[in-house]
């Protein structure tokens, strides 16, 4: 089967840090022997895209001109000569990790997220804010044919990341997890994955509307960070003294991360996911030692985590709360994101 591929396509291009988000006609990229070409139909907009656009993390390998995006969902339209396991017409997901070296110690252990030679869509190579994206056939996510391409995008970064973080917390069914940033792209999925894993959820975010949204998604309790003075005390009250086994921080707020280490119980785990630029965390050594608390970073997920996270979505257990807009609206999406106004995730329709 072969599909007609146009020579040019629409894309959002950024020429330099914080530069204009230009909606342009560009060439459809060529593919390498190990790559597939995915006709991206929809792509989620992650807070990491906002950081990459501005180069908030002072990434030295950032590509320019750059096409952002790493939550792409689409259809395979061509394949390099070395590609195995894919067919034209397959549904594919384009994630943050484009490729890893496959030979280092971490890749050998199936911990390829720590590979030092990884290439990243929307950071070190072009991403999914375009209609045709070339991606490594090994790391691309295989999606079932009946999946809803419009709403699966957010699973490919937000979903994988929070699912992997929740597993890393080792919290057990019936235990409490506090999710800070619960109404955002990652948080709105974290609540649902936590429920799937049998965990009880307290969501933290700001404002009444976000509180209602969080509860609809399955959180048992909401703490408004704009009003709460003592979050640790509130967590103890809500859990009736049981305490929280885990805290998952999915905010881009250093202050929120600092608070996270104050409200897990002894033997609890704090999972750091949100990436506020240049943020530092200061921990009281005595209470961390005596309470035997673990503080752990968690970064996207492996191929295996991807298959599992997509599986929950494909079985209808996770719903992505999305709002669909055209690619030309990405600037407005970033504005709302910076102001903390988004409920769930924006998804870009690449045809507009
Ligand atoms: P988002 O903007 O959709 O959501 C962030 C949420 O945090 C918002 O709802 C906001 O209101 C809330 N918030 C802000 N300050 C808060 C505070 N003090 N307390 C509680 N909530 C607060 O962002 P997102 O796309 O979900 O991404 C969140 C963060 O995770 C970003 O820093 C992003 O770069 C990072 N990220 C990390 C990974 C990883 O692999 N570790 C993967 C994806 C995203
Ligand atoms: Zn992301």
């Amino acid at each position: 089967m072969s599909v007609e591929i146009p020579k040019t396509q629409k894309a959002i291009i950024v020429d330099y840090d914080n530069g204009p988000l230009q909606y342009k006609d560009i060439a459809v990229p060529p593919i390498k022997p190990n790559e597939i070409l995915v006709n991206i139909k929809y792509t989620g907009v992650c807070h990491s895209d906002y950081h990459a656009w501005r180069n908030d993390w002072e990434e030295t390998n950032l590509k320019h001109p750059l096409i952002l995006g790493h939550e792409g969902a689409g259809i395979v339209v061509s394949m390099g000569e070395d590609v195995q396991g894919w067919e034209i017409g397959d549904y594919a997901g384009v994630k943050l990790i484009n490729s890893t070296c496959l030979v280092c110690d971490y890749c050998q252990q199936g911990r390829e997220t720590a590979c030092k030679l990884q290439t990243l869509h929307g950071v070190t190579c072009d991403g999914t804010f375009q209609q045709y994206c070339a991606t490594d056939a090994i790391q691309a996510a295989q999606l079932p044919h009946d999946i809803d391409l419009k709403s699966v995008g957010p699973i490919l970064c937000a979903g994988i990341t929070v699912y992997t973080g929740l597993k890393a917390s080792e919290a057990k069914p019936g235990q409490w997890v506090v999710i800070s940033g619960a109404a955002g792209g990652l948080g709105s999925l974290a609540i649902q994955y936590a429920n799937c894993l049998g965990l009880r959820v307290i969501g933290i975010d700001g404002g009444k509307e976000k509180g209602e949204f969080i509860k609809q998604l399955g959180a048992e309790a909401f703490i408004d960070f704009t009003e709460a003075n003592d979050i640790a005390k509130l967590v103890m009250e809500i859990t009736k003294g049981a305490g929280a086994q885990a805290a998952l921080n999915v905010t881009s707020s250093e202050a929120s991360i600092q608070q996270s280490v104050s409200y897990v119980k002894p033997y609890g785990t704090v999972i750091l996911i949100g990436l506020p630029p240049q943020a530092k965390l200061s921990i009281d050594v005595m209470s961390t030692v005596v309470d035997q608390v673990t503080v752990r970073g968690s970064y996207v997920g492996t191929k295996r985590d991807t298959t599992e996270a997509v599986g929950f979505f494909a079985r209808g257990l996770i719903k992505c709360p999305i709002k669909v807009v055209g690619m030309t609206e990405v600037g407005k999406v970033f504005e709302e994101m910076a102001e903390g106004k988004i409920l769930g995730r924006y998804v870009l329709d690449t045809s507009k």
Side-chain angles (χ1 to χ4, degrees):
M1 186 168 134
S2 78
V3 179
E4 204 180 316
I5 302 165
K7 294 227 166 356
T8 61
Q9 59 157 341
K10 299 283 186 199
I12 300 284
I13 310 263
V14 178
D15 284 339
Y16 51 89
D17 296 349
N18 217 359
L21 297 151
Q22 308 160 83
Y23 183 62
K24 271 193 179 171
D25 285 303
I26 60 160
V28 169
I31 48 169
K32 298 184 191 133
N34 58 313
E35 289 181 334
I36 53 176
L37 186 68
V38 182
N39 176 200
I40 304 288
K41 299 290 187 192
Y42 297 94
T43 172
V45 184
C46 180
H47 207 118
S48 298
D49 292 313
Y50 172 79
H51 289 310
W53 167 47
R54 295 154 44 95
N55 200 7
D56 284 337
W57 298 316
E58 297 170 4
E59 169 69 60
T60 49
N61 291 330
L62 200 71
K63 174 187 179 293
H64 277 129
L66 176 66
I67 297 169
L68 297 162
H70 56 265
E71 288 187 346
I75 301 170
V76 177
V77 291
S78 83
M79 307 191 303
E81 67 222 41
D82 293 345
V83 170
Q84 290 183 319
W86 287 97
E87 284 181 25
I88 305 292
D90 280 351
Y91 281 16
V94 178
K95 321 183 272 101
L96 180 71
I97 296 185
N98 170 47
S99 66
T100 67
C101 79
L102 302 176
V103 288
C104 73
D105 204 30
Y106 299 109
C107 282
Q108 286 186 43
Q109 293 175 52
R111 291 178 152 178
E112 74 271 17
T113 50
C115 173
K116 295 294 168 223
L117 296 177
Q118 62 192 275
T119 60
L120 305 176
H121 280 299
V123 181
T124 64
C125 63
D126 284 333
T128 55
F129 294 179
Q130 59 178 335
Q131 292 172 319
Y132 291 88
C133 182
T135 189
D136 188 284
I138 291 174
Q139 276 291 333
Q142 261 149 335
L143 305 176
H145 269 266
D146 53 358
I147 214 150
D148 176 18
L149 289 176
K150 195 182 277 183
S151 63
V152 70
I155 298 295
L156 299 162
C157 174
I160 295 166
T161 302
V162 298
Y163 172 68
T164 305
L166 287 164
K167 282 199 299 181
S169 79
E170 296 182 19
K172 302 280 182 296
Q175 293 180 325
W176 287 93
V177 56
V178 181
I179 298 169
S180 189
L186 269 63
S188 58
L189 299 183
I191 296 169
Q192 300 176 67
Y193 277 106
N195 283 161
C196 285
L197 299 172
L199 305 175
R200 305 183 69 179
V201 176
I202 299 173
I204 306 181
D205 213 304
K208 198 164 169 266
E209 197 188 1
K210 291 202 170 186
E212 279 160 19
F213 179 65
I214 283 168
K215 287 206 176 156
Q216 277 164 20
L217 292 171
E220 285 180 56
F222 167 60
I223 296 175
D224 189 336
F225 79 88
T226 63
E227 292 176 351
N229 291 322
D230 189 344
I231 293 180
K233 189 163 161 248
L234 286 171
V235 168
M236 283 316 259
E237 279 169 21
I238 293 164
T239 61
K240 299 196 168 51
Q245 180 64 33
L248 199 76
N249 198 294
V250 287
T251 72
S252 233
S253 157
E254 186 170 1
S256 161
I257 291 171
Q258 193 59 54
Q259 282 161 353
S260 294
V261 291
S262 72
Y263 50 70
V264 291
K265 65 197 272 189
Y267 279 104
T269 304
V270 179
I271 299 289
L272 304 182
I273 291 176
L275 290 163
Q278 290 82 43
K280 299 273 184 296
L281 173 60
S282 161
I283 306 173
D284 177 63
V285 172
M286 178 60 96
S287 59
T288 306
V289 170
V290 172
D291 288 346
Q292 297 161 78
V293 164
T294 303
V295 178
R296 205 178 149 168
S298 189
Y299 167 61
V300 286
T302 62
K303 265 182 74 64
R304 182 68 221 165
D305 298 321
T306 301
T307 305
E308 291 174 13
V310 168
F312 280 85
F313 176 86
R315 297 201 302 283
L317 299 168
I318 307 286
K319 305 272 181 243
C320 293
I322 56 163
K323 226 184 195 172
V324 183
V325 295
M327 274 204 290
T328 51
E329 303 287 304
V330 65
K332 284 189 202 143
V333 173
F334 282 157
E335 264 172 44
E336 280 191 40
M337 192 171 260
E339 291 165 8
K341 284 190 182 155
I342 301 176
L343 296 180
R345 196 53 124 204
Y346 270 103
V347 165
L348 307 180
D349 176 344
T350 63
S351 70
K352 298 183 212 159

